[in-house]
């Protein structure tokens, strides 16, 4: 599959210009030409080298298996190490298998949980993992973690940018950084107490970034493939989008750690690195859209509108 | 139906506190009590009076009729007068009836169009309306139009706020104002030339606000009810989310102007006015969430995260 075909968030009609752009790029000398003219995202990706991409780490990749297919989730151990460890432990003891997506709230989240969580005699038991954990809403800024700062401001945070393929915010005053609730981000649902989550309930953002949740819930990963298996689910008609009838729920066949599957059963994916000059070019190509279709250049970009391209392994 | 049940964008678990809050509010003396303590959105809505709501104008309301139900669209004649007039003319000559949703691109838009638009002999004919119009990407600021400015900045525009129930941006330097591509906004698709749209193809935003489209396409309305009939459609697997097989398309039974239907067949809706002190309270209730669940107050809000509540007529 060509890289362009797996890139998410392709823009209105922009795709049609891709073949022409690739031809122009080739005939003008590839990456050198790219430096001489304003770039489209197609230009940027066409100029990418193998080193601009990074394979998913199978030990930090989850497969959420539904009857409709596989959702691939990249975990974020740099930001929620204890939650990531716990979710993997839950997956490895098959805690999730047979549970269900119990909620799909339009322009907000889908959520998976144990439908019997409130019934002690029926609730799924946990063997080795933990049911709850202290929150990991933010973490201390670590200068060793890469941070590609967005050139634009943000409504919610002093600084925003990307670290290891994830959208993050930073505050130099508090010395904290945290993951951002962009589309496709995965978090650990919780009840009212801050330490009542732990990964037994997971939610995925399927709407406009609910940034008011930042630092209120532990984010632990991002859907990198198959989001449409979640975002196109029928919305629940109960309060908060909960399904009102058990038969409306979508069964979780399994959640697996990719490393536990034989190579032939894994989904071989690469994510564009976010700590490269090429990724800065990509950001610029989205701040000012150079495709012919655009009559007005925004000149800015909001953090959750920056795509993080994913492609199949080469 | 209670007002609270029709409010969109209810937040994670916040709903559970609603009965308790209403009891507290009542016992403490209603609106007076609301002034004395930080408000939740439930508080604000509970304190709303009839004058805080405005019935939809049937002459500027479209019903998009699908087999799955009705999508109600409020038109924006203050911002796209010629497009609104043309879309109503197209609806009244039954141009849309039998056309289809041809595209559903994840985290972006669904789009309706004539599937045979490219085949002259099969393409739907237009009798009295126009096929294309000059763009209405923005308009001159008119001091007579209400503008409730958001207290927060915006990544894309000098000023943002609300006018007549719509999210808008303003630029005092150019003296222009324009509608914003928030979730649920409806626009007139176009080809590469700026004047190639006119309402024969309509798109609806079903993902994170694609603000780079602002001032690049004519927005003409907003979905106020039934967005989930569009946002939960299976995504198209072709480029840009186009459905690859004709049978995947979703047929448009009809688009009607509400005024043309007998009263008994209309959907009686009221939208919260956005030019009132109460709406300012609502904005504040979302900038700083006072529900117990929240541990951290964002202190800001991004324009497309402000809900514009809708309720059934009282």
């Amino acid at each position: 599959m060509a890289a362009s075909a797996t890139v998410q968030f392709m823009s209105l009609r922009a795709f049609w210009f891709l073949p022409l752009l690739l031809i122009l790029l080739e005939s003008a000398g590839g990456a050198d030409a790219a430096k001489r003219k304003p770039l489209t995202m197609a230009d940027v990706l066409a100029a990418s080298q193998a080193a601009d991409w990074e394979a998913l780490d199978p030990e930090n990749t989850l497969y959420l298996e539904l009857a409709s297919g596989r959702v691939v989730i990249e975990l974020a151990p740099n930001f929620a190490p204890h939650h990531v460890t716990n979710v993997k432990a839950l997956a490895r003891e098959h805690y999730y298998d047979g549970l269900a997506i119990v909620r799909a709230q339009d322009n907000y989240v889908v959520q998976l949980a144990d439908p019997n969580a409130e019934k002690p005699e029926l609730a799924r038991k946990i063997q080795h993992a933990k049911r709850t954990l202290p929150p990991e809403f933010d973490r201390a800024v670590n200068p060793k973690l890469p941070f590609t700062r967005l050139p634009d401001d943000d409504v919610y945070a002093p600084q925003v940018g990307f670290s290891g393929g994830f959208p993050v915010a930073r505050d130099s005053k508090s010395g904290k950084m945290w993951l951002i609730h962009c589309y496709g981000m995965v978090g650990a649902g919780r009840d009212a107490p801050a330490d009542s989550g732990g990964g037994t309930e997971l939610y995925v953002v399927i709407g406009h970034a609910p940034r008011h949740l930042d630092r209120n819930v532990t984010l632990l990963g991002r859907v990198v493939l198959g989001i449409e298996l979640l975002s196109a689910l029928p919305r629940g008609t109960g309060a908060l989008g909960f399904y009102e009838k058990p038969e409306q729920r979508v069964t979780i066949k399994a959640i697996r750690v990719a490393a536990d599957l034989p190579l032939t059963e894994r989904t071989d994916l690469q994510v564009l690195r976010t700590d490269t000059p090429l990724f800065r070019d990509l950001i610029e190509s989205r701040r000012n859209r150079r495709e012919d279709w655009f009559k007005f250049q925004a000149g800015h970009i909001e953090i959750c509108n920056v795509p993080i391209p994913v492609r199949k392994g080469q």
Side-chain angles (χ1 to χ4, degrees), chain A:
Chain A
M1 191 185 291
S4 58
T6 57
V7 172
Q8 296 176 350
F9 313 94
M10 290 301 287
S11 80
L12 203 69
R13 296 176 199 261
F15 187 86
W16 306 116
F17 303 112
L18 186 54
L20 178 61
L21 285 166
L22 290 179
I23 291 163
L24 288 172
L25 199 64
E26 294 283 330
S27 63
D32 285 340
K35 282 175 193 154
R36 290 196 298 270
K37 67 183 181 74
L39 298 173
T40 66
M41 188 166 81
D43 296 331
V44 173
L45 293 175
S48 71
Q49 306 293 314
D52 290 309
W53 299 84
E54 193 156 40
L56 288 181
D57 171 10
E59 187 56 41
N60 284 303
T61 302
L62 292 184
Y63 297 148
L64 163 59
E65 309 282 7
L66 305 172
S68 56
R70 172 179 285 178
V71 179
V72 181
I73 296 167
E74 181 177 13
L75 296 168
N78 284 334
F79 290 89
H82 300 294
H83 280 73
V84 165
T85 298
N86 201 50
V87 165
K88 290 196 288 181
L90 287 164
R92 282 173 165 149
E93 66 177 58
H94 302 276
Y95 172 82
Y96 299 107
D97 305 3
L99 301 188
I101 295 169
V102 296
R103 174 188 183 199
Q105 184 173 4
D106 196 64
N107 193 23
Y108 206 49
V109 298
V110 295
Q111 190 164 329
L112 69 85
D114 179 357
N116 297 312
E118 309 291 319
K119 300 171 192 158
E121 70 284 7
L122 292 174
R124 183 67 54 98
K125 302 297 179 289
I126 293 177
Q127 295 157 41
H128 309 292
K130 291 176 178 151
R131 186 164 291 280
T132 62
L133 287 172
E136 294 177 294
F137 295 162
D138 54 22
R139 58 154 295 156
V141 169
N142 179 345
K144 286 184 189 162
L145 285 182
F147 181 68
T148 301
R149 186 171 171 184
L150 203 68
D152 296 296
D153 286 337
D154 182 71
V155 172
Y156 292 89
Q159 299 178 11
V160 289
F162 294 88
S163 182
F166 291 95
V168 301
R170 292 206 314 190
D171 176 17
S172 54
K173 220 160 96 181
S174 66
K176 299 284 189 187
M177 62 194 300
W178 57 92
L179 294 174
I180 289 177
H181 275 84
C182 291
Y183 192 87
M185 290 295 287
V186 182
R190 66 165 173 85
D191 291 323
D195 62 356
S196 58
T200 58
E201 301 197 4
L202 297 173
Y203 66 92
V204 179
V205 175
I206 59 156
H208 189 80
R211 296 287 305 279
H212 52 285
L213 297 180
D214 290 0
R215 283 185 280 182
N216 273 301
V217 207
T218 300
L219 288 169
L220 54 81
R222 183 174 84 92
V223 173
V224 292
L225 197 74
I227 184 75
E228 70 281 2
L229 303 181
L230 304 174
S231 58
L233 287 175
R235 292 357 183 192
T237 49
L240 302 179
F242 279 93
Y243 292 122
E244 296 186 274
K245 298 175 188 167
E247 63 268 27
Q248 294 171 319
R249 296 173 189 145
V250 178
T251 301
I252 308 296
K253 286 171 63 177
I255 295 184
R256 296 278 174 270
V257 180
D260 297 346
L261 295 188
L263 277 173
T264 53
E265 293 177 26
R266 296 185 199 168
T267 304
D268 187 17
L269 293 178
Q270 301 178 342
V271 178
L272 195 72
R273 289 179 59 155
T274 55
D275 59 349
T276 60
L278 186 112
F279 189 71
R280 289 183 189 277
D281 285 348
L282 183 141
I283 292 173
E284 181 52 32
S285 76
R286 303 298 274 193
R287 296 176 77 236
N288 291 293
R289 299 290 290 262
R290 303 302 183 175
E291 297 90 348
D292 284 350
W293 186 88
F294 284 88
K295 308 306 173 192
F296 177 83
Q297 309 299 326
H300 301 280
I301 197 162
E302 194 268 330
I303 183 77
C304 295
N305 271 325
V306 178
I308 306 173
V310 174
R311 69 177 187 184
K312 293 221 168 168
Q314 305 292 290

